[in-house]
Amino acid sequence: MTANQTGALLMAAAMAAYTFNDALIKLTGSALPLPQILTIRGLAASFLIYLLARRLGGLRLRLPGRAWGMIGLRGAAEVAATYLFLTALMLMPIANVTALLQVLPLAVTLSAALFLREPVGWRRLAAIAAGFTGMLLIVRPGPDGFTDGSLYALAAVACITARDLVTRRMPPEVPSMTVTLASSLSVLVFGLASSAAVEWQPMGSFEWLALMGAALFIFAGYLCSVMTMRVGEIAAIAPFRYSGLVWALILGWLVFGEWPDLLTIAGAAIVAGAGMFTLYRERRQARKLRA
């Protein structure tokens, strides 16, 4: 296999792992309160991420105060995004939530232009406008189409966008594994703190297996994401992030008996197409700058 083929396979594997995690969390959400889910999954996932960070030599605690401030800010955005996304996941079909999350690259590009003064040409602006039009087809604002789940999902996109903007401003000496572990621990602390307001429910073998499986899938997704960045060309690999939509459609149909209507599928296709074009233009622009 070529480097690009390997990278594409790893990206597709990462998206599959993240989507299987979402499905397992959705399965347990009807029986367990969200703080309990975040705490148990967070303990297992943080431990695995810690082992990976030690293995890769990416754990560094002696950092400047500014770096820790940005890590803390990113962790807060991660906590808010996790809570909002999982709440939306409990209220909406998994394919719809996943489709809305595909707006993320467009939102990050637009926000970087507005707040970080990064240059964005008219082609990418047109793609962003098309992508947000596709998003409107998914959420369908109005008394019949717009739901609480859509609101939570869009709020999650806003928080993830803020998280990624903070990540872009992170000092280069901060290892990515350190940031990831800190974010995972932030979600774990939030789960523990919010547990005081809910009553934990007894767990059977299914719930334990589902949450341990979710932690493993989160870990596998991050591991594949790290490996993806080390092989091939980003421009050739990045479009495979949209393979998560396919997995969401399959799992939604097989596990939950959900299948989105034609408008939702059309909106998802527009969002994915606009996102892939934006990624292509960003990589092409980066190549011109390097030349």
Side-chain angles (χ1 to χ4, degrees), residues 62-150:
R62 293 184 179 180
L63 297 170
R66 176 176 175 270
W68 279 116
M70 298 192 74
I71 289 174
L73 185 60
R74 187 187 187 279
E78 184 76 52
V79 167
T82 300
Y83 171 78
L84 292 167
F85 171 74
L86 293 183
T87 302
L89 189 64
M90 303 304 174
L91 299 173
M92 294 176 65
I94 186 172
N96 292 42
V97 181
T98 305
L100 285 176
L101 281 190
Q102 307 314 309
V103 181
L104 182 59
L106 305 173
V108 171
T109 299
L110 180 60
S111 299
L114 293 175
F115 301 113
L116 303 182
R117 304 297 182 184
E118 294 185 7
V120 176
W122 68 268
R123 292 181 182 86
R124 277 188 285 172
L125 287 176
I128 290 169
F132 281 109
T133 301
M135 179 267 291
L136 292 176
L137 288 178
I138 300 171
V139 300
R140 269 162 277 175
D144 297 326
F146 198 81
T147 65
D148 290 342
S150 300

Side-chain angles (χ1 to χ4, degrees), residues 48-233:
L48 292 172
I49 293 171
Y50 169 77
L51 293 179
L52 178 62
R54 289 292 300 269
R55 174 70 176 177
L56 297 179
L59 194 60
R60 182 179 175 189
L61 301 180
R62 293 184 179 180
L63 297 170
R66 176 176 175 270
W68 279 116
M70 298 192 74
I71 289 174
L73 185 60
R74 187 187 187 279
E78 184 76 52
V79 167
T82 300
Y83 171 78
L84 292 167
F85 171 74
L86 293 183
T87 302
L89 189 64
M90 303 304 174
L91 299 173
M92 294 176 65
I94 186 172
N96 292 42
V97 181
T98 305
L100 285 176
L101 281 190
Q102 307 314 309
V103 181
L104 182 59
L106 305 173
V108 171
T109 299
L110 180 60
S111 299
L114 293 175
F115 301 113
L116 303 182
R117 304 297 182 184
E118 294 185 7
V120 176
W122 68 268
R123 292 181 182 86
R124 277 188 285 172
L125 287 176
I128 290 169
F132 281 109
T133 301
M135 179 267 291
L136 292 176
L137 288 178
I138 300 171
V139 300
R140 269 162 277 175
D144 297 326
F146 198 81
T147 65
D148 290 342
S150 300
L151 183 62
Y152 280 112
L154 292 176
V157 170
C159 290
I160 298 172
T161 302
R163 181 200 69 186
D164 288 353
L165 290 179
V166 172
T167 304
R168 287 195 182 200
R169 307 296 291 180
M170 198 78 69
E173 66 269 15
V174 181
S176 59
M177 292 300 303
T178 300
V179 176
T180 301
L181 179 59
S183 297
S184 181
L185 291 174
S186 297
V187 175
L188 172 58
V189 170
F190 171 77
L192 286 169
S194 55
S195 291
V198 301
E199 182 179 354
W200 278 37
Q201 299 300 312
M203 294 174 54
S205 57
F206 172 78
E207 285 78 19
W208 278 110
L209 287 173
L211 291 183
M212 292 303 102
L216 285 173
F217 278 122
I218 279 285
F219 173 72
Y222 185 72
L223 178 59
C224 289
S225 298
V226 171
M227 294 170 65
T228 297
M229 295 300 104
R230 296 182 174 185
V231 295
E233 300 176 1

